[in-house]
Amino acid sequence: MDTTQRTDQQRSADRRRRELLEAADRVVLRDGPQASMNAIAAEAGITKPILYRHFGDKGGLYAALAKRHTDALLDSLRAALDAPADRRERVEATLDTYLAAIEARPQVYRFLMHPADGGQVGDQGFDVGKHSVPLLRRMGEELAQVIEDRVDLGPGSQQLARVWGHGIVGMMHAAGDWWLGERPCSRAELVRSLADLLWGRLAAAGDKVGGPGF
Amino acid sequence: MDTTQRTDQQRSADRRRRELLEAADRVVLRDGPQASMNAIAAEAGITKPILYRHFGDKGGLYAALAKRHTDALLDSLRAALDAPADRRERVEATLDTYLAAIEARPQVYRFLMHPADGGQVGDQGFDVGKHSVPLLRRMGEELAQVIEDRVDLGPGSQQLARVWGHGIVGMMHAAGDWWLGERPCSRAELVRSLADLLWGRLAAAGDKVGGPGF
DNA sequence: CTTGCATGTTACTTGCGGTAACTCGAGTGT
DNA sequence: ACACTCGAGTTACCGCAAGTAACATGCAAG
């Protein structure tokens, strides 16, 4: 059992795993997150137990699937975030990148964000909500890091950066989710509105006085 | 079949329904959202089909459960939002109210926000994600209304208010979720940090220059 | 040829959501 | 007093999906 053979096997296993994930991707994107293991196995041209050998349980498969997309999205966000530009431009670019991603592949987005699981059933001890939370959390942490690295916030900067990281990501997420459902305006308008919000326009605006009695 | 009798029946049915919801509440808060219909029925001292007569299916029960809590939370938020105070004070009061609520009853919060459903299985056509999304959406719409009513935003104010409503709610939600999990600071600090973010402190802060090479 | 070992399959168990069909008890008209 | 409806409740079942056990097959090494 020399190293070369082990590597061979490992390579083939990894390759198989990737094929399975791609098949699962197709099915999940077609049937939604309630896709059954049988359906995924059939799409991959095999049967259930193999899926279980590779991923443990349904949660494992979904986690692997989510990781792929999450990593891909985070990569593109990092590019926008790390660009050598003005802060406002970077914020707008990041927002736009995120929104463009969810606009381009809403099915993927729904899968990542609205688990609406499928992995809740059965015995017990299944760790629910494995997908959406990690993505938001990871985005939040990355953003926090960037903020802390590049913005001068004085004392307590680390905690402030983390709060803001998670808060901004949540703002982006919720606004994007709503926008994707209703499409009330163009992507550019949404980006602008959100950036305006972050730029303190809510605080700067005046009170409305013409209202009824208020 | 005069009106009085019909009312009597309706009253008893409503009362029963309330009892069932309270039982369901206990089970869900104890077992998490994967509580089975059997368990809920047992807690209520009856058997499954009655639950189905009252709520249609599991989604119906969960929706009814979610509506109760959602309405209660929205009521307390409205109070903070409509207070006759300075805008910043109102914002901080609202954030604090929300955070206090999720801090006081994290189980309820988890149920509302992280469906981690249970209603994914079976035949088909089950509308997933019936709970969490409505709560965030309703909060967003309410906040949008308040913003539009009380803040002078010039042209395009309605759309801007809606974007901000959903965005701010999302910020509050994500930051609260993260905070509830890690408890990195006090509630008051979190409120202050988020309000600072909305007040444009991110835009106002200077670039960090001491960093390595940036 | 046989012994591992990875890969795959069939066939099963378990447990849950959901439903059909029956039972029971209380009020009502004659 | 008696049959009759009607709502509340129960038992027993179906279908389906997750997950598993036990059996088959192809292929390298000794």
Side-chain angles (χ1 to χ4, degrees):
Chain A
M1 34 72 155
D2 47 312
T3 339
T4 65
Q5 180 169 359
R6 197 126 132 228
T7 306
D8 257 18
Q9 289 175 196
Q10 201 138 349
R11 286 208 176 196
S12 118
D14 279 12
R15 202 179 133 165
R16 201 87 184 95
R17 186 188 167 94
R18 226 168 285 160
E19 291 172 13
L20 297 185
L21 276 178
E22 276 161 29
D25 228 347
R26 285 194 296 272
V27 176
V28 166
L29 262 48
R30 170 160 44 81
D31 295 0
Q34 74 269 18
S36 84
M37 294 297 266
N38 261 325
I40 294 174
E43 171 74 28
I46 51 151
T47 49
K48 262 194 304 179
I50 306 184
L51 284 180
Y52 283 94
R53 283 228 253 273
H54 274 272
F55 301 105
D57 63 355
K58 191 168 188 171
L61 199 172
Y62 277 38
L65 218 54
K67 184 162 171 27
R68 269 166 64 105
H69 289 121
T70 297
D71 288 349
L73 178 55
L74 279 173
D75 279 348
S76 55
L77 287 182
R78 256 188 292 265
L81 220 35
D82 287 345
D86 181 79
R87 191 180 304 159
R88 166 109 189 191
E89 283 173 47
R90 263 165 28 223
V91 167
E92 293 197 355
T94 306
L95 288 170
D96 194 65
T97 300
Y98 173 82
L99 294 171
I102 72 173
E103 183 181 28
R105 315 189 67 200
Q107 297 276 13
V108 174
Y109 166 72
R110 296 271 169 215
F111 166 67
L112 288 177
M113 288 305 191
H114 300 291
D117 246 352
Q120 75 310 331
V121 88
D123 303 12
Q124 77 290 351
F126 183 70
D127 216 330
V128 290
K130 271 254 173 67
H131 333 15
S132 71
V133 176
L135 172 53
L136 287 179
R137 288 285 231 281
R138 285 177 66 192
M139 289 199 293
E141 288 296 328
E142 298 239 1
L143 179 53
Q145 198 59 52
V146 172
I147 291 174
E148 200 193 341
D149 285 348
R150 305 189 56 160
V151 182
D152 182 18
L153 292 172
S157 70
Q158 183 175 339
Q159 218 162 70
L160 200 55
R162 293 187 80 202
V163 171
W164 288 6
H166 290 283
I168 293 172
V169 164
M171 179 201 79
M172 180 173 81
H173 163 235
D177 194 75
W178 162 76
W179 172 74
L180 201 60
E182 307 207 0
R183 290 306 186 99
C185 61
S186 76
R187 207 170 76 213
E189 284 176 289
L190 180 60
V191 168
R192 221 181 113 77
S193 301
L194 290 175
D196 279 355
L197 176 60
L198 288 175
W199 253 249
R201 206 176 136 194
L202 171 66
D207 281 334
K208 210 164 198 172
V209 289
F214 278 112
Chain B
M1 32 73 155
D2 47 312
T3 341
T4 65
Q5 182 168 357
R6 199 131 130 222
T7 307
D8 259 17
Q9 288 174 198
Q10 199 137 349
R11 286 209 174 193
S12 118
D14 278 13
R15 203 178 133 166
R16 202 85 182 96
R17 185 188 168 93
R18 227 169 283 160
E19 290 172 15
L20 297 185
L21 276 177
E22 275 161 30
D25 228 346
R26 286 193 296 273
V27 177
V28 166
L29 262 48
R30 169 161 44 79
D31 296 358
Q34 75 271 19
S36 82
M37 292 298 264
N38 261 326
I40 294 174
E43 170 75 28
I46 49 149
T47 49
K48 263 196 301 181
I50 306 184
L51 285 180
Y52 284 93
R53 282 228 250 276
H54 275 272
F55 301 104
D57 64 355
K58 192 169 187 171
L61 199 173
Y62 277 38
L65 218 54
K67 184 161 172 28
R68 269 165 64 104
H69 290 121
T70 298
D71 288 349
L73 178 56
L74 279 173
D75 279 349
S76 55
L77 287 182
R78 256 188 291 266
L81 220 36
D82 287 346
D86 181 80
R87 191 181 303 161
R88 165 108 188 192
E89 284 174 46
R90 261 161 33 220
V91 166
E92 293 197 356
T94 305
L95 288 170
D96 193 66
T97 300
Y98 173 83
L99 294 171
I102 73 174
E103 184 180 28
R105 316 188 69 202
Q107 296 275 14
V108 173
Y109 167 71
R110 295 272 168 215
F111 165 66
L112 287 177
M113 289 306 190
H114 301 290
D117 246 355
Q120 73 313 334
V121 87
D123 302 13
Q124 77 290 351
F126 184 70
D127 215 328
V128 292
K130 270 254 174 67
H131 333 15
S132 71
V133 177
L135 172 53
L136 288 179
R137 286 287 229 283
R138 284 178 66 192
M139 288 199 293
E141 288 295 329
E142 298 239 1
L143 179 53
Q145 196 60 49
V146 172
I147 292 174
E148 201 192 340
D149 284 349
R150 305 189 57 160
V151 181
D152 183 16
L153 292 172
S157 71
Q158 183 175 340
Q159 219 161 68
L160 199 56
R162 293 187 80 202
V163 171
W164 287 8
H166 290 283
I168 292 172
V169 164
M171 179 200 79
M172 179 173 82
H173 163 235
D177 194 76
W178 162 76
W179 173 75
L180 201 58
E182 308 206 359
R183 291 304 187 103
C185 62
S186 75
R187 206 171 77 213
E189 284 177 287
L190 181 59
V191 168
R192 223 183 111 78
S193 301
L194 290 175
D196 278 355
L197 176 59
L198 289 176
W199 253 250
R201 207 177 136 194
L202 171 65
D207 280 334
K208 209 165 198 171
V209 289
F214 279 111

